[in-house]
Amino acid sequence: MAGVDATPPPLSAGAGDRASGRTPVRPSTLPGSGAGFAQPRQGGRRPLAGLTPEAPVAELPHVAPADVKRLAKLGITTVRDLLLDLPYDWEQYGPPAPVARLRPGDQATVVGTLVRVLARRSPRGRLDLTEALLQDDDGGALQIVWFNQPYLARQLRAGHRLAVAGAVHLSRYGGLPEMRNPHHELVGEGGPRRVGGLMPKYHLTAGLTSRRRASWVEAALPLAERLEDPLPPATLARHRLLPLAEAIRRGHRPRELGEWRQARHRMAFAELLELQAAFLLARRRMAVERATPIPYRQEVIEAFKAGLGFPLTRAQRKAIWEIYQDLEREVPMNRLLDGDVGSGKTAVAAAAAAMVHAAGLQTVVMAPTEVLARQHLGAFRGYLERSFPDLRVELLVSGLGAKERRRVKAAAASGHCAVLVGTHALIEDDVKLAALGLAIVDEQHRFGTRQRELLRERSEHGRPHFLAMTATPIPRSLALALYGEMALSIIDEMPPGRTPVETRVVEPGRREEAYQVVRREVRAGRQAFVICPLIEESGALEAKAATAEFDHLRREVFPDLRLTLVHGRMRDKDAVMRAFREGASDILVATSVVEVGVDVPNATVMVVEGAERFGLAQLHQLRGRVGRSRLPSYCFLLADDPSAKSLERLRLLEQTTDGFRLAQEDMRLRGAGELMGPRQHGMSDMAMAALQRPELLSEVRQEAQQLLEEDPSLERWPGLWRAAQRRLELTSLS
Ligand code: ADP
Ligand code: MG
């Protein structure tokens, strides 16, 4: 895949530092960071004059404006954020070792004297090679090669003392031990300070290196003392947690990995506690809100079922029942309905709207796009208008003419319209609703407190009941942790009669077989998706790769077919998708943007390139884009460079279509953070990793409960209260 290899390796150490044109921070200005080495840890810890933890990162030495932007992408804007984000892992090279003791595959540190340094081109002239020979004090020789760092040949000279840290290979010539692209540091008498031992791995974006992040952390570390610890001392004691400042110090600069683990544990605990406290506070706040209770009426559900045209699944019935129970209460419902694409969430939502209508109240339904709003309009009408002839469903989107808009708004204001379907613009607009009883939000993780306030202002009937729907299967434990202020209904069963998408993992060399099926289906009048590999953290690279793939397919593979391209960097994605849906092309080449709701029933094949880069849950979502009709359909998962492990992971998709099972597996194999998409949830990877441990979560929940029982509004712990409010703003559904 073009472009893929262009992503800088996360830890090209000195390379990144030099490439960005800045001088690495001189060791003398920093306390020794060779964590894992017995070095004085106190040296040079003088607070930076005038700097507070709340200061923007730009105020730290050697942070350029471009770095500020790079860090912001990681959610790091203040010195505090920088300190709180501990390394997610370490490279472990150990103390300097004699070359004679190295074995291929070891991660090692070697200190020695350069015997020679040589710059040359690789045999095919593609790469700049810098080759060096390093001799340790016992006379052992280590071969070193750096790729594409020609400046090294100018900086390093025979006779220099050098420390290198990297993986040990056997060189192809002469069988000497060799390191490729090792970290390096010129050393004086004291030995290496920044290379070898434990080297932190931080989350990065293009242009950052872990070593630069480490040097900023070093500078900021004295400020750790000044951070307020949001956790009450009693909580620290009960759960044997490190105080914040100590956790920050040990987390970034552990003497051994146990200290780092302790620190991460403390950070994760705090984060989860803040979140659980936030949920409890939110629940408490909502519990004093008043909603209009919607009485349950048997004849309404009977009429609803009679008008449906199909029997409800067991899972749908259960969800409807849970919703009806909530609606009967005076406390507003706050429920998340979670079910795979096609599991029939809309029918459940319509059943709720029917009951609300029978109580004389209105329902609004909000969709993320106008296309989906129109789809909902059709569905709600289909489900409701036959059995409830006086129940009017109307659409309000910005694409309407002025006259129609006026008519719909009048119908909403008079109460004549029972269900109003639209986009989010609906609530931003000056729409009046005579008697709003229920708000339904489809696929929207960004429905914040403000929008809810707006909704409440619309109605004289107290706070409306609230139902959110999502097609991202979230394992129950995770939902509890992330959306703890909501009740959860899960639809874990598909309506009968669906033909599952036939899924196959295709190993390299057999892609022609997948293309054959694409050809055959297109000949039969069907359409196909080709999904390009995911390139993390770079929309531009991803777009470039998709464009290259598109050109390749159009010229070399399917010159006789009609292809179109859509990627995240395009202005008019909707138009391309719409044209595809209308049959204007045979094959849509796309980045993962198609993941979000397009409905193309005529598409029967999906080819996913670089499938091993996607999560199972994500692949499952993608796969849901085909198989949306009675026609048999196919999903081919192409792996560029599959390890046995990734093949095994992908094969799960051949075996099951159960989104919740796949999500659970994804969480087990790759962690909760990957499952939910990076940082959408506003939680650190530390907390996400902790979610793998249900016993920890229940410990945290108990602690939050205890704290709030003792002190219901957390007046005694303003730090925790503030942290909880911040969390609530970050997690979105509340
Ligand atoms: P979701 O919103 O969960 O993705 P939909 O509500 O759009 O799913 O339902 C997908 C399709 O399945 C629709 O055509 C719907 O009419 C149909 N459907 C829903 N429930 C059932 C059922 N119990 N039996 C048969 N078909 C159903
Ligand atoms: Mg839906």
Side-chain angles (χ1 to χ4, degrees), residues 340-342 345 372 375 443 471 501 527-529 531 577 580 588 591-606 618-629 633-635:
D340 241 324
V341 173
K345 293 184 291 296
L372 288 175
Q375 240 164 269
E443 274 312 331
V501 178
Q527 290 163 284
F529 293 104
I531 309 297
M577 305 251 213
F580 181 65
L588 183 69
T591 51
S592 53
V593 287
V594 291
E595 210 176 339
V596 283
V598 279
D599 193 12
V600 187
N602 191 47
T604 56
V605 198
M606 170 164 293
Q618 214 176 356
L619 288 169
H620 177 66
Q621 295 258 337
L622 280 171
R623 169 169 74 174
R625 298 289 129 213
V626 294
R628 295 169 83 83
S629 67
S633 42
Y634 311 88
C635 177

mmCIF file of all heavy atoms in Angstrom, residues 340-342 345 372 375 443 471 501 527-529 531 577 580 588 591-606 618-629 633-635:
data_model
loop_
_atom_site.group_PDB
_atom_site.id
_atom_site.type_symbol
_atom_site.label_atom_id
_atom_site.label_comp_id
_atom_site.label_asym_id
_atom_site.label_seq_id
_atom_site.Cartn_x
_atom_site.Cartn_y
_atom_site.Cartn_z
ATOM 1 N N ASP A 340 -27.058 -4.202 17.095
ATOM 2 C CA ASP A 340 -26.407 -4.199 15.794
ATOM 3 C C ASP A 340 -27.247 -3.533 14.719
ATOM 4 O O ASP A 340 -28.459 -3.473 14.839
ATOM 5 C CB ASP A 340 -26.205 -5.660 15.375
ATOM 6 C CG ASP A 340 -24.744 -5.957 15.201
ATOM 7 O OD1 ASP A 340 -24.025 -5.050 14.739
ATOM 8 O OD2 ASP A 340 -24.329 -7.072 15.526
ATOM 9 N N VAL A 341 -26.578 -3.093 13.670
ATOM 10 C CA VAL A 341 -27.296 -2.606 12.493
ATOM 11 C C VAL A 341 -28.279 -3.681 12.035
ATOM 12 O O VAL A 341 -27.914 -4.845 11.933
ATOM 13 C CB VAL A 341 -26.294 -2.307 11.358
ATOM 14 C CG1 VAL A 341 -27.026 -1.971 10.071
ATOM 15 C CG2 VAL A 341 -25.366 -1.192 11.763
ATOM 16 N N GLY A 342 -29.518 -3.291 11.812
ATOM 17 C CA GLY A 342 -30.507 -4.242 11.310
ATOM 18 C C GLY A 342 -31.196 -5.063 12.381
ATOM 19 O O GLY A 342 -32.024 -5.922 12.079
ATOM 20 N N LYS A 345 -33.963 -1.653 15.905
ATOM 21 C CA LYS A 345 -34.098 -0.658 16.960
ATOM 22 C C LYS A 345 -35.233 0.320 16.671
ATOM 23 O O LYS A 345 -35.906 0.790 17.574
ATOM 24 C CB LYS A 345 -32.781 0.119 17.118
ATOM 25 C CG LYS A 345 -31.646 -0.724 17.649
ATOM 26 C CD LYS A 345 -30.389 0.092 17.887
ATOM 27 C CE LYS A 345 -29.732 0.591 16.621
ATOM 28 N NZ LYS A 345 -29.240 -0.484 15.746
ATOM 29 N N LEU A 372 -30.566 9.935 6.859
ATOM 30 C CA LEU A 372 -31.080 9.017 7.873
ATOM 31 C C LEU A 372 -32.402 9.513 8.458
ATOM 32 O O LEU A 372 -33.287 8.717 8.772
ATOM 33 C CB LEU A 372 -30.049 8.814 8.985
ATOM 34 C CG LEU A 372 -28.834 7.982 8.559
ATOM 35 C CD1 LEU A 372 -27.798 7.931 9.679
ATOM 36 C CD2 LEU A 372 -29.238 6.561 8.183
ATOM 37 N N GLN A 375 -34.982 8.407 6.162
ATOM 38 C CA GLN A 375 -35.198 6.974 6.334
ATOM 39 C C GLN A 375 -36.099 6.703 7.555
ATOM 40 O O GLN A 375 -37.004 5.891 7.488
ATOM 41 C CB GLN A 375 -33.843 6.288 6.557
ATOM 42 C CG GLN A 375 -33.501 5.241 5.505
ATOM 43 C CD GLN A 375 -32.018 4.894 5.552
ATOM 44 O OE1 GLN A 375 -31.208 5.496 4.859
ATOM 45 N NE2 GLN A 375 -31.652 3.935 6.384
ATOM 46 N N GLU A 443 -27.778 7.160 17.030
ATOM 47 C CA GLU A 443 -26.355 7.199 16.665
ATOM 48 C C GLU A 443 -25.726 8.539 16.934
ATOM 49 O O GLU A 443 -25.180 9.147 16.032
ATOM 50 C CB GLU A 443 -26.209 6.913 15.173
ATOM 51 C CG GLU A 443 -26.146 5.468 14.827
ATOM 52 C CD GLU A 443 -25.166 4.671 15.671
ATOM 53 O OE1 GLU A 443 -24.173 5.240 16.135
ATOM 54 O OE2 GLU A 443 -25.425 3.478 15.858
ATOM 55 N N ALA A 471 -25.640 1.642 17.285
ATOM 56 C CA ALA A 471 -25.419 0.365 16.601
ATOM 57 C C ALA A 471 -24.024 -0.163 16.883
ATOM 58 O O ALA A 471 -23.573 -1.114 16.273
ATOM 59 C CB ALA A 471 -25.631 0.528 15.100
ATOM 60 N N VAL A 501 -23.876 -12.488 5.872
ATOM 61 C CA VAL A 501 -22.880 -12.151 4.862
ATOM 62 C C VAL A 501 -21.793 -13.225 4.886
ATOM 63 O O VAL A 501 -21.194 -13.474 5.930
ATOM 64 C CB VAL A 501 -22.253 -10.774 5.163
ATOM 65 C CG1 VAL A 501 -21.172 -10.440 4.153
ATOM 66 C CG2 VAL A 501 -23.323 -9.703 5.218
ATOM 67 N N GLN A 527 -23.426 -4.224 -6.914
ATOM 68 C CA GLN A 527 -22.333 -3.275 -6.684
ATOM 69 C C GLN A 527 -21.406 -3.753 -5.566
ATOM 70 O O GLN A 527 -21.768 -4.649 -4.808
ATOM 71 C CB GLN A 527 -22.916 -1.903 -6.308
ATOM 72 C CG GLN A 527 -23.604 -1.214 -7.477
ATOM 73 C CD GLN A 527 -24.515 -0.101 -6.981
ATOM 74 O OE1 GLN A 527 -25.602 -0.376 -6.477
ATOM 75 N NE2 GLN A 527 -24.056 1.140 -7.109
ATOM 76 N N ALA A 528 -20.233 -3.121 -5.519
ATOM 77 C CA ALA A 528 -19.223 -3.568 -4.552
ATOM 78 C C ALA A 528 -18.552 -2.385 -3.859
ATOM 79 O O ALA A 528 -18.432 -1.305 -4.437
ATOM 80 C CB ALA A 528 -18.161 -4.408 -5.255
ATOM 81 N N PHE A 529 -18.123 -2.621 -2.619
ATOM 82 C CA PHE A 529 -17.275 -1.680 -1.892
ATOM 83 C C PHE A 529 -15.855 -2.236 -1.830
ATOM 84 O O PHE A 529 -15.673 -3.428 -1.585
ATOM 85 C CB PHE A 529 -17.710 -1.536 -0.433
ATOM 86 C CG PHE A 529 -19.039 -0.884 -0.213
ATOM 87 C CD1 PHE A 529 -20.151 -1.652 0.125
ATOM 88 C CD2 PHE A 529 -19.171 0.488 -0.309
ATOM 89 C CE1 PHE A 529 -21.377 -1.045 0.374
ATOM 90 C CE2 PHE A 529 -20.400 1.098 -0.067
ATOM 91 C CZ PHE A 529 -21.503 0.331 0.273
ATOM 92 N N ILE A 531 -12.726 -1.311 0.579
ATOM 93 C CA ILE A 531 -12.326 -0.455 1.701
ATOM 94 C C ILE A 531 -10.804 -0.473 1.827
ATOM 95 O O ILE A 531 -10.184 -1.526 1.853
ATOM 96 C CB ILE A 531 -12.939 -0.957 3.030
ATOM 97 C CG1 ILE A 531 -14.447 -1.163 2.892
ATOM 98 C CG2 ILE A 531 -12.616 0.005 4.165
ATOM 99 C CD1 ILE A 531 -15.235 0.084 2.595
ATOM 100 N N MET A 577 -21.615 9.248 -2.331
ATOM 101 C CA MET A 577 -22.335 8.101 -1.788
ATOM 102 C C MET A 577 -23.724 7.996 -2.397
ATOM 103 O O MET A 577 -24.204 6.907 -2.717
ATOM 104 C CB MET A 577 -22.475 8.246 -0.269
ATOM 105 C CG MET A 577 -21.154 8.434 0.419
ATOM 106 S SD MET A 577 -20.700 6.998 1.359
ATOM 107 C CE MET A 577 -19.837 7.732 2.704
ATOM 108 N N PHE A 580 -23.551 6.652 -5.816
ATOM 109 C CA PHE A 580 -23.295 5.213 -5.780
ATOM 110 C C PHE A 580 -24.595 4.467 -5.480
ATOM 111 O O PHE A 580 -24.925 3.460 -6.108
ATOM 112 C CB PHE A 580 -22.238 4.899 -4.724
ATOM 113 C CG PHE A 580 -21.878 3.441 -4.618
ATOM 114 C CD1 PHE A 580 -21.260 2.779 -5.676
ATOM 115 C CD2 PHE A 580 -22.149 2.726 -3.457
ATOM 116 C CE1 PHE A 580 -20.929 1.429 -5.581
ATOM 117 C CE2 PHE A 580 -21.817 1.384 -3.352
ATOM 118 C CZ PHE A 580 -21.212 0.737 -4.422
ATOM 119 N N LEU A 588 -17.383 1.234 -5.338
ATOM 120 C CA LEU A 588 -17.005 2.404 -4.569
ATOM 121 C C LEU A 588 -15.741 2.078 -3.776
ATOM 122 O O LEU A 588 -15.743 1.190 -2.924
ATOM 123 C CB LEU A 588 -18.130 2.817 -3.614
ATOM 124 C CG LEU A 588 -17.870 4.079 -2.791
ATOM 125 C CD1 LEU A 588 -17.854 5.315 -3.685
ATOM 126 C CD2 LEU A 588 -18.900 4.238 -1.680
ATOM 127 N N THR A 591 -12.304 4.925 2.039
ATOM 128 C CA THR A 591 -11.693 4.723 3.344
ATOM 129 C C THR A 591 -12.824 4.320 4.281
ATOM 130 O O THR A 591 -13.962 4.193 3.855
ATOM 131 C CB THR A 591 -11.024 6.021 3.843
ATOM 132 O OG1 THR A 591 -11.980 7.072 3.748
ATOM 133 C CG2 THR A 591 -9.819 6.344 2.997
ATOM 134 N N SER A 592 -12.514 4.148 5.540
ATOM 135 C CA SER A 592 -13.543 3.612 6.427
ATOM 136 C C SER A 592 -14.705 4.578 6.657
ATOM 137 O O SER A 592 -15.582 4.291 7.451
ATOM 138 C CB SER A 592 -12.920 3.187 7.752
ATOM 139 O OG SER A 592 -12.191 4.264 8.282
ATOM 140 N N VAL A 593 -14.723 5.703 5.938
ATOM 141 C CA VAL A 593 -15.840 6.638 6.125
ATOM 142 C C VAL A 593 -17.209 6.041 5.828
ATOM 143 O O VAL A 593 -18.210 6.512 6.333
ATOM 144 C CB VAL A 593 -15.711 7.936 5.281
ATOM 145 C CG1 VAL A 593 -14.655 8.827 5.840
ATOM 146 C CG2 VAL A 593 -15.501 7.634 3.825
ATOM 147 N N VAL A 594 -17.247 4.994 4.987
ATOM 148 C CA VAL A 594 -18.562 4.410 4.692
ATOM 149 C C VAL A 594 -19.158 3.741 5.915
ATOM 150 O O VAL A 594 -20.308 3.365 5.915
ATOM 151 C CB VAL A 594 -18.559 3.357 3.565
ATOM 152 C CG1 VAL A 594 -18.271 3.997 2.241
ATOM 153 C CG2 VAL A 594 -17.632 2.230 3.870
ATOM 154 N N GLU A 595 -18.357 3.617 6.927
ATOM 155 C CA GLU A 595 -18.833 2.991 8.143
ATOM 156 C C GLU A 595 -20.103 3.668 8.627
ATOM 157 O O GLU A 595 -21.005 3.033 9.114
ATOM 158 C CB GLU A 595 -17.762 3.117 9.209
ATOM 159 C CG GLU A 595 -17.757 2.005 10.186
ATOM 160 C CD GLU A 595 -16.613 2.159 11.157
ATOM 161 O OE1 GLU A 595 -15.645 2.865 10.832
ATOM 162 O OE2 GLU A 595 -16.706 1.583 12.222
ATOM 163 N N VAL A 596 -20.113 4.979 8.560
ATOM 164 C CA VAL A 596 -21.303 5.672 9.029
ATOM 165 C C VAL A 596 -22.382 5.645 7.970
ATOM 166 O O VAL A 596 -22.200 6.091 6.851
ATOM 167 C CB VAL A 596 -20.989 7.126 9.453
ATOM 168 C CG1 VAL A 596 -20.318 7.132 10.797
ATOM 169 C CG2 VAL A 596 -20.118 7.808 8.432
ATOM 170 N N GLY A 597 -23.475 5.091 8.369
ATOM 171 C CA GLY A 597 -24.730 4.921 7.688
ATOM 172 C C GLY A 597 -24.914 5.253 6.214
ATOM 173 O O GLY A 597 -25.509 6.263 5.898
ATOM 174 N N VAL A 598 -24.468 4.396 5.328
ATOM 175 C CA VAL A 598 -25.040 4.439 3.991
ATOM 176 C C VAL A 598 -25.816 3.157 3.793
ATOM 177 O O VAL A 598 -25.390 2.096 4.207
ATOM 178 C CB VAL A 598 -24.012 4.526 2.843
ATOM 179 C CG1 VAL A 598 -23.547 5.939 2.654
ATOM 180 C CG2 VAL A 598 -22.869 3.582 3.052
ATOM 181 N N ASP A 599 -26.924 3.273 3.131
ATOM 182 C CA ASP A 599 -27.733 2.103 2.878
ATOM 183 C C ASP A 599 -27.785 1.895 1.372
ATOM 184 O O ASP A 599 -28.405 2.662 0.652
ATOM 185 C CB ASP A 599 -29.133 2.319 3.456
ATOM 186 C CG ASP A 599 -29.902 1.014 3.491
ATOM 187 O OD1 ASP A 599 -29.274 -0.052 3.297
ATOM 188 O OD2 ASP A 599 -31.120 1.061 3.686
ATOM 189 N N VAL A 600 -27.067 0.896 0.897
ATOM 190 C CA VAL A 600 -27.050 0.589 -0.534
ATOM 191 C C VAL A 600 -27.457 -0.876 -0.705
ATOM 192 O O VAL A 600 -26.599 -1.757 -0.789
ATOM 193 C CB VAL A 600 -25.656 0.828 -1.154
ATOM 194 C CG1 VAL A 600 -25.691 0.676 -2.663
ATOM 195 C CG2 VAL A 600 -25.113 2.193 -0.776
ATOM 196 N N PRO A 601 -28.761 -1.142 -0.736
ATOM 197 C CA PRO A 601 -29.220 -2.535 -0.753
ATOM 198 C C PRO A 601 -28.658 -3.337 -1.928
ATOM 199 O O PRO A 601 -28.511 -4.554 -1.822
ATOM 200 C CB PRO A 601 -30.746 -2.412 -0.878
ATOM 201 C CG PRO A 601 -31.067 -1.036 -0.424
ATOM 202 C CD PRO A 601 -29.879 -0.192 -0.729
ATOM 203 N N ASN A 602 -28.313 -2.649 -3.017
ATOM 204 C CA ASN A 602 -27.832 -3.367 -4.190
ATOM 205 C C ASN A 602 -26.364 -3.772 -4.085
ATOM 206 O O ASN A 602 -25.847 -4.486 -4.938
ATOM 207 C CB ASN A 602 -28.069 -2.515 -5.443
ATOM 208 C CG ASN A 602 -27.840 -3.315 -6.715
ATOM 209 O OD1 ASN A 602 -28.338 -4.440 -6.841
ATOM 210 N ND2 ASN A 602 -27.053 -2.765 -7.636
ATOM 211 N N ALA A 603 -25.671 -3.319 -3.048
ATOM 212 C CA ALA A 603 -24.266 -3.690 -2.884
ATOM 213 C C ALA A 603 -24.194 -5.054 -2.208
ATOM 214 O O ALA A 603 -24.749 -5.250 -1.133
ATOM 215 C CB ALA A 603 -23.534 -2.643 -2.049
ATOM 216 N N THR A 604 -23.505 -6.000 -2.853
ATOM 217 C CA THR A 604 -23.458 -7.361 -2.320
ATOM 218 C C THR A 604 -22.047 -7.861 -2.022
ATOM 219 O O THR A 604 -21.888 -8.954 -1.510
ATOM 220 C CB THR A 604 -24.117 -8.354 -3.304
ATOM 221 O OG1 THR A 604 -23.469 -8.223 -4.561
ATOM 222 C CG2 THR A 604 -25.605 -8.081 -3.443
ATOM 223 N N VAL A 605 -21.025 -7.065 -2.383
ATOM 224 C CA VAL A 605 -19.661 -7.491 -2.077
ATOM 225 C C VAL A 605 -18.911 -6.377 -1.370
ATOM 226 O O VAL A 605 -19.026 -5.212 -1.757
ATOM 227 C CB VAL A 605 -18.817 -7.802 -3.332
ATOM 228 C CG1 VAL A 605 -17.605 -8.655 -2.952
ATOM 229 C CG2 VAL A 605 -19.617 -8.451 -4.405
ATOM 230 N N MET A 606 -18.137 -6.773 -0.385
ATOM 231 C CA MET A 606 -17.217 -5.840 0.230
ATOM 232 C C MET A 606 -15.841 -6.483 0.286
ATOM 233 O O MET A 606 -15.695 -7.623 0.722
ATOM 234 C CB MET A 606 -17.678 -5.483 1.632
ATOM 235 C CG MET A 606 -16.620 -4.710 2.385
ATOM 236 S SD MET A 606 -17.248 -3.882 3.835
ATOM 237 C CE MET A 606 -18.311 -2.648 3.143
ATOM 238 N N GLN A 618 -15.032 -3.016 14.321
ATOM 239 C CA GLN A 618 -15.067 -2.100 13.193
ATOM 240 C C GLN A 618 -15.332 -2.857 11.892
ATOM 241 O O GLN A 618 -16.127 -2.424 11.058
ATOM 242 C CB GLN A 618 -13.707 -1.417 13.139
ATOM 243 C CG GLN A 618 -13.732 -0.021 12.671
ATOM 244 C CD GLN A 618 -12.348 0.570 12.746
ATOM 245 O OE1 GLN A 618 -11.388 -0.073 13.218
ATOM 246 N NE2 GLN A 618 -12.222 1.790 12.282
ATOM 247 N N LEU A 619 -14.670 -3.997 11.718
ATOM 248 C CA LEU A 619 -14.890 -4.813 10.526
ATOM 249 C C LEU A 619 -16.333 -5.297 10.470
ATOM 250 O O LEU A 619 -16.952 -5.345 9.403
ATOM 251 C CB LEU A 619 -13.932 -6.010 10.510
ATOM 252 C CG LEU A 619 -12.478 -5.667 10.211
ATOM 253 C CD1 LEU A 619 -11.582 -6.869 10.485
ATOM 254 C CD2 LEU A 619 -12.307 -5.195 8.765
ATOM 255 N N HIS A 620 -16.841 -5.633 11.625
ATOM 256 C CA HIS A 620 -18.217 -6.089 11.681
ATOM 257 C C HIS A 620 -19.174 -4.978 11.250
ATOM 258 O O HIS A 620 -20.131 -5.204 10.497
ATOM 259 C CB HIS A 620 -18.539 -6.558 13.105
ATOM 260 C CG HIS A 620 -19.950 -6.975 13.298
ATOM 261 N ND1 HIS A 620 -20.484 -8.082 12.663
ATOM 262 C CD2 HIS A 620 -20.955 -6.437 14.028
ATOM 263 C CE1 HIS A 620 -21.763 -8.188 13.012
ATOM 264 N NE2 HIS A 620 -22.066 -7.206 13.837
ATOM 265 N N GLN A 621 -18.890 -3.761 11.681
ATOM 266 C CA GLN A 621 -19.695 -2.615 11.255
ATOM 267 C C GLN A 621 -19.598 -2.403 9.749
ATOM 268 O O GLN A 621 -20.590 -2.176 9.082
ATOM 269 C CB GLN A 621 -19.211 -1.346 11.956
ATOM 270 C CG GLN A 621 -19.401 -1.356 13.443
ATOM 271 C CD GLN A 621 -20.604 -0.539 13.860
ATOM 272 O OE1 GLN A 621 -21.019 0.334 13.129
ATOM 273 N NE2 GLN A 621 -21.172 -0.839 15.001
ATOM 274 N N LEU A 622 -18.378 -2.492 9.250
ATOM 275 C CA LEU A 622 -18.184 -2.325 7.816
ATOM 276 C C LEU A 622 -18.968 -3.381 7.051
ATOM 277 O O LEU A 622 -19.670 -3.083 6.083
ATOM 278 C CB LEU A 622 -16.694 -2.450 7.462
ATOM 279 C CG LEU A 622 -15.831 -1.221 7.715
ATOM 280 C CD1 LEU A 622 -14.361 -1.572 7.537
ATOM 281 C CD2 LEU A 622 -16.216 -0.098 6.768
ATOM 282 N N ARG A 623 -18.852 -4.592 7.507
ATOM 283 C CA ARG A 623 -19.533 -5.704 6.851
ATOM 284 C C ARG A 623 -21.046 -5.494 6.807
ATOM 285 O O ARG A 623 -21.715 -5.942 5.887
ATOM 286 C CB ARG A 623 -19.180 -6.990 7.604
ATOM 287 C CG ARG A 623 -19.980 -8.190 7.226
ATOM 288 C CD ARG A 623 -19.381 -9.432 7.806
ATOM 289 N NE ARG A 623 -19.609 -9.561 9.244
ATOM 290 C CZ ARG A 623 -19.266 -10.639 9.939
ATOM 291 N NH1 ARG A 623 -18.655 -11.649 9.338
ATOM 292 N NH2 ARG A 623 -19.504 -10.695 11.232
ATOM 293 N N GLY A 624 -21.551 -4.800 7.819
ATOM 294 C CA GLY A 624 -22.983 -4.507 7.867
ATOM 295 C C GLY A 624 -23.473 -3.659 6.709
ATOM 296 O O GLY A 624 -24.668 -3.486 6.505
ATOM 297 N N ARG A 625 -22.534 -3.104 5.920
ATOM 298 C CA ARG A 625 -22.922 -2.286 4.756
ATOM 299 C C ARG A 625 -23.369 -3.141 3.582
ATOM 300 O O ARG A 625 -23.966 -2.633 2.642
ATOM 301 C CB ARG A 625 -21.755 -1.391 4.313
ATOM 302 C CG ARG A 625 -21.315 -0.426 5.339
ATOM 303 C CD ARG A 625 -22.334 0.675 5.534
ATOM 304 N NE ARG A 625 -22.644 0.824 6.933
ATOM 305 C CZ ARG A 625 -23.833 1.178 7.411
ATOM 306 N NH1 ARG A 625 -24.822 1.413 6.593
ATOM 307 N NH2 ARG A 625 -24.033 1.287 8.697
ATOM 308 N N VAL A 626 -23.041 -4.420 3.597
ATOM 309 C CA VAL A 626 -23.595 -5.320 2.574
ATOM 310 C C VAL A 626 -24.562 -6.279 3.266
ATOM 311 O O VAL A 626 -24.666 -6.300 4.487
ATOM 312 C CB VAL A 626 -22.500 -6.096 1.785
ATOM 313 C CG1 VAL A 626 -21.665 -5.138 0.959
ATOM 314 C CG2 VAL A 626 -21.619 -6.908 2.718
ATOM 315 N N GLY A 627 -25.271 -7.030 2.437
ATOM 316 C CA GLY A 627 -26.243 -7.952 3.021
ATOM 317 C C GLY A 627 -27.471 -7.217 3.515
ATOM 318 O O GLY A 627 -28.082 -7.578 4.514
ATOM 319 N N ARG A 628 -27.830 -6.145 2.840
ATOM 320 C CA ARG A 628 -28.983 -5.368 3.273
ATOM 321 C C ARG A 628 -30.202 -5.618 2.388
ATOM 322 O O ARG A 628 -31.094 -4.804 2.309
ATOM 323 C CB ARG A 628 -28.619 -3.891 3.310
ATOM 324 C CG ARG A 628 -27.554 -3.628 4.356
ATOM 325 C CD ARG A 628 -26.976 -2.252 4.261
ATOM 326 N NE ARG A 628 -27.791 -1.239 4.927
ATOM 327 C CZ ARG A 628 -27.744 -0.990 6.233
ATOM 328 N NH1 ARG A 628 -26.952 -1.688 6.995
ATOM 329 N NH2 ARG A 628 -28.487 -0.059 6.756
ATOM 330 N N SER A 629 -30.182 -6.771 1.722
ATOM 331 C CA SER A 629 -31.343 -7.155 0.930
ATOM 332 C C SER A 629 -31.465 -8.665 1.040
ATOM 333 O O SER A 629 -30.772 -9.295 1.820
ATOM 334 C CB SER A 629 -31.134 -6.744 -0.523
ATOM 335 O OG SER A 629 -30.089 -7.517 -1.080
ATOM 336 N N SER A 633 -24.692 -12.175 0.033
ATOM 337 C CA SER A 633 -23.599 -11.235 -0.141
ATOM 338 C C SER A 633 -22.332 -11.717 0.545
ATOM 339 O O SER A 633 -22.344 -12.681 1.297
ATOM 340 C CB SER A 633 -24.003 -9.844 0.341
ATOM 341 O OG SER A 633 -24.715 -9.947 1.533
ATOM 342 N N TYR A 634 -21.244 -11.023 0.216
ATOM 343 C CA TYR A 634 -19.899 -11.527 0.517
ATOM 344 C C TYR A 634 -19.033 -10.448 1.105
ATOM 345 O O TYR A 634 -19.116 -9.284 0.714
ATOM 346 C CB TYR A 634 -19.239 -12.036 -0.775
ATOM 347 C CG TYR A 634 -20.131 -12.964 -1.549
ATOM 348 C CD1 TYR A 634 -21.038 -12.459 -2.481
ATOM 349 C CD2 TYR A 634 -20.114 -14.341 -1.304
ATOM 350 C CE1 TYR A 634 -21.904 -13.305 -3.168
ATOM 351 C CE2 TYR A 634 -20.975 -15.186 -1.978
ATOM 352 C CZ TYR A 634 -21.869 -14.669 -2.905
ATOM 353 O OH TYR A 634 -22.730 -15.505 -3.565
ATOM 354 N N CYS A 635 -18.179 -10.846 2.020
ATOM 355 C CA CYS A 635 -17.182 -9.930 2.563
ATOM 356 C C CYS A 635 -15.825 -10.622 2.532
ATOM 357 O O CYS A 635 -15.664 -11.706 3.088
ATOM 358 C CB CYS A 635 -17.557 -9.538 3.988
ATOM 359 S SG CYS A 635 -16.341 -8.494 4.774
#
